[in-house]
Amino acid sequence: MEIRKLKAARGWLWIRHAYQLLLRNPLLGISGALASTLAVFAVLLLPLLGPLLAIALLPIMLAGYMRLCRALEENEPADLSLLLAGFRQHTRSLITLGAMLMLGMFFISTLMVFVGGAGFASVMEQVHGAQDMQVLVEALNNADSQVALALLLGFSLLLVLVVAWQYAPILVFFSGISPWLALQASFLGTLRNIIPYTVYSLIMQLVAVVLGILPYGLGMILLLPLGLVSLYVSYRNIFPWLDEPQPAIPQGD
């Protein structure tokens, strides 16, 4: 399994190439990202099993949007029906990834409660009941060191979980590898490219600030597909599987 180690400049190129890819069909790219997100949120609002079903649906919808990105990359005829590709290919493995994500989040939250003790539970109650951000800030400032440790531990483990999960649905969908192997590859791929990822994160934060100026939330509507397509572009660069065509990189890059 080849996992490339890329230079720092790739962080910027992921965003640039994602923008170029979106320009091939901006309406489809934006509407596909919105449709995928709305589908997950709609399922999330269902009573009782909503959150569980939403987590199971998340990798399927992500795989579907990545299939749409592949169609844009290869200039295939494409429509929103591609978003359902995850229901037709490796569906069981994608649902397994959703279950792994859910178990990981449950483990992290349980560990935070165990480490933080009663003080952590008290802070969480204030957070859930707070209508004013000042109340939240004061609750965190007054928390003891045990609560601070629980928060630090929880956020650190959550970051590891996200890093291990972000490419896993794409690897499962396109390459057909097992969910566990996909999690390992995603974690190693991100870790080996921590420098371009740092560059990418800084630029995306700047882009988010600029787009945030736009009225009526238009900035977030544009930021969502750019983030998803750049995830696809970075995947294509980091994991050059032999059964896939190489990504087209503009001359001079």
Side-chain angles (χ1 to χ4, degrees), residues 134 136-144:
Q134 186 62 32
L136 172 59
V137 172
E138 290 179 358
L140 294 176
N141 286 336
N142 295 330
D144 56 27

Side-chain angles (χ1 to χ4, degrees), residues 77-98:
D79 55 42
L80 291 179
S81 65
L82 289 177
L83 296 177
L84 302 178
F87 288 102
R88 298 188 290 265
Q89 181 176 322
H90 303 301
T91 307
R92 183 177 299 177
S93 293
L94 291 171
I95 293 176
T96 300
L97 282 174

Side-chain angles (χ1 to χ4, degrees), residues 4 41 48 60 72 101-102 138 159 185 217 230 250:
R4 284 177 175 169
F41 274 105
L48 297 179
I60 295 176
L72 292 178
L101 177 62
M102 180 171 45
E138 290 179 358
L159 178 61
S230 60

